[in-house]
Amino acid sequence: MVGKIIKQISNDYTVKVDNELYVCKARGKFRNMGITPLVGDNVVIDENNNYILEIMNRKNELDRPSVSNIDQVVIVTSVKIPDFSSNLLDKLLTIIEFNNIKPVICFTKLDLLNEVELEEIKEIMDYYRKIGYEVYSNTDSNLKDIFKDKITVFAGQSGAGKSSLLNRLDNSLNLEIGEVSIALGRGRHTTRHTELIEVLDGYIADTPGFSSIDFRGMEKSDIRDNFIEFNEYREFCEYKDCMHINELKCMVKEKVNDNTIKLSRYENYLKFVEKR
């Protein structure tokens, strides 16, 4: 039988097959092969003896949280208390893109802005839409639709409004506001394991949070390649391997100078590359 691992506690893996749940052990061969089953894995199980027999190919995986086959990461981006951070947003976008996962940006707390600040944030939102990202505010009525048939992980700084957002989307969750992690259970959050919770006709990963926000495993060229709007102009640079920093006749730098590419994005790119 083929199912999906929706929870792991120690060496016990809860596998959902249709509407049935099976608590299974992993066969010893996986340990010998250096493979660890992950929440989100599609697996073949022996339902009579409760063993995982085979782990099917993953389309992606994350280390922190340990989840596989993620369809999207919703980056919850506060614009006030805490203030908007283009550095954090661009860092998350770059890392998520590198891991072959779709990022979705959700801006929160727009109601705390004055008119001038609101116009500035709307311009920022429009730019990220223009370069190809799905961008929402937490009050958009169609935000609920993005979770259907998807495995979703949430990312964002503490206090960005992740719990408030989920409460708004599904008030039966009754999440405590102000927690660093997203508690998808009822009452106090004591979860020390990763679990997929069925919410809004999809799955949301109940984890301690998306904490892998460094560039491990990435080369400088990977950072460049995952600033998605740069790729539109790379073929017009003089050098095929142009890093868009010190090279002459660089079309990306020209597009920064004429404001086609947002300056803050380019400045963040330079900071990220410098740290590698």
Side-chain angles (χ1 to χ4, degrees):
M1 299 177 70
V2 177
K4 183 185 294 292
I5 299 176
I6 64 168
K7 179 165 62 174
Q8 176 192 358
I9 300 178
S10 188
N11 295 320
D12 290 331
Y13 299 89
T14 301
V15 179
K16 185 174 183 180
V17 181
D18 297 325
N19 291 316
E20 297 293 325
L21 299 179
Y22 299 85
V23 178
C24 300
K25 301 286 188 183
R27 296 299 296 266
K29 69 174 184 178
F30 297 123
R31 184 167 53 253
N32 297 334
M33 297 166 62
I35 300 173
T36 301
L38 296 177
V39 169
D41 277 343
N42 297 308
V43 295
V44 179
I45 67 168
D46 174 350
E47 70 276 17
N48 295 315
N49 297 300
N50 294 94
Y51 275 108
I52 296 173
L53 302 177
E54 180 183 349
I55 300 172
M56 302 174 77
N57 288 336
R58 297 167 180 159
K59 67 180 180 182
N60 55 48
E61 63 182 274
L62 290 175
D63 178 34
R64 294 178 295 168
S66 296
V67 187
S68 69
N69 297 317
I70 303 152
D71 294 299
Q72 59 190 4
V73 174
V74 175
I75 305 172
V76 184
T77 306
S78 172
V79 299
K80 197 84 168 177
I81 316 174
D83 292 342
F84 172 67
S85 169
S86 69
N87 185 283
L88 178 59
L89 175 57
D90 289 339
K91 182 181 291 185
L92 285 168
L93 286 170
T94 306
I95 294 167
I96 293 164
E97 291 276 4
F98 175 72
N99 282 280
N100 191 34
I101 305 169
K102 176 184 175 181
V104 176
I105 308 170
C106 180
F107 285 82
T108 63
K109 306 186 182 182
L110 275 71
D111 57 310
L112 300 181
L113 301 177
N114 61 39
E115 288 187 13
V116 173
E117 292 169 333
L118 182 59
E119 285 305 310
E120 291 175 352
I121 288 296
K122 285 182 176 179
E123 288 180 7
I124 291 170
M125 294 172 70
D126 287 342
Y127 178 80
Y128 284 98
R129 286 193 188 100
K130 183 185 73 174
I131 63 175
Y133 290 114
E134 282 190 30
V135 180
Y136 298 87
S137 77
N138 61 316
T139 57
D140 285 344
S141 59
N142 60 340
L143 184 58
K144 288 184 178 182
D145 300 336
I146 72 170
F147 299 95
K148 183 177 175 61
D149 300 324
K150 301 281 198 309
I151 294 179
T152 303
V153 173
F154 277 71
Q157 68 214 100
S158 177
K162 296 184 290 293
S163 297
S164 297
L165 173 60
L166 278 168
N167 279 336
R168 180 189 293 270
L169 294 171
D170 186 342
N171 57 21
S172 70
L173 295 172
N174 192 27
L175 309 186
E176 292 185 27
I177 306 304
E179 293 189 359
V180 174
S181 57
I182 300 175
L184 291 178
R186 305 310 193 266
R188 184 173 176 78
H189 183 44
T190 58
T191 301
R192 297 184 181 275
H193 60 271
T194 299
E195 182 174 357
L196 297 181
I197 307 296
E198 292 188 68
V199 177
L200 301 169
D201 297 319
Y203 289 105
I204 292 178
D206 183 12
T207 75
F210 188 107
S211 56
S212 183
I213 54 171
D214 54 38
F215 295 109
R216 67 177 64 192
M218 298 179 68
E219 304 293 334
K220 292 183 179 182
S221 58
D222 294 320
I223 296 174
R224 174 198 64 195
D225 295 347
N226 287 287
F227 269 73
I228 59 175
E229 69 269 48
F230 291 7
N231 296 326
E232 183 177 347
Y233 306 106
R234 279 181 59 187
E235 64 178 297
F236 302 106
C237 294
E238 184 173 10
Y239 304 104
K240 288 186 177 180
D241 60 348
C242 184
M243 287 296 296
H244 320 309
I245 300 174
N246 299 315
E247 298 89 346
L248 299 175
K249 297 182 180 178
C250 170
M251 182 59 71
V252 168
K253 289 193 293 183
E254 289 187 24
K255 292 301 178 181
V256 174
N257 290 333
D258 70 13
N259 295 318
T260 302
I261 292 177
K262 194 167 184 61
L263 178 60
S264 63
R265 285 273 289 173
Y266 182 68
E267 289 176 339
N268 287 332
Y269 165 71
L270 295 179
K271 291 174 186 175
F272 300 159
V273 169
E274 183 182 357
K275 293 179 181 179
R276 295 310 296 153

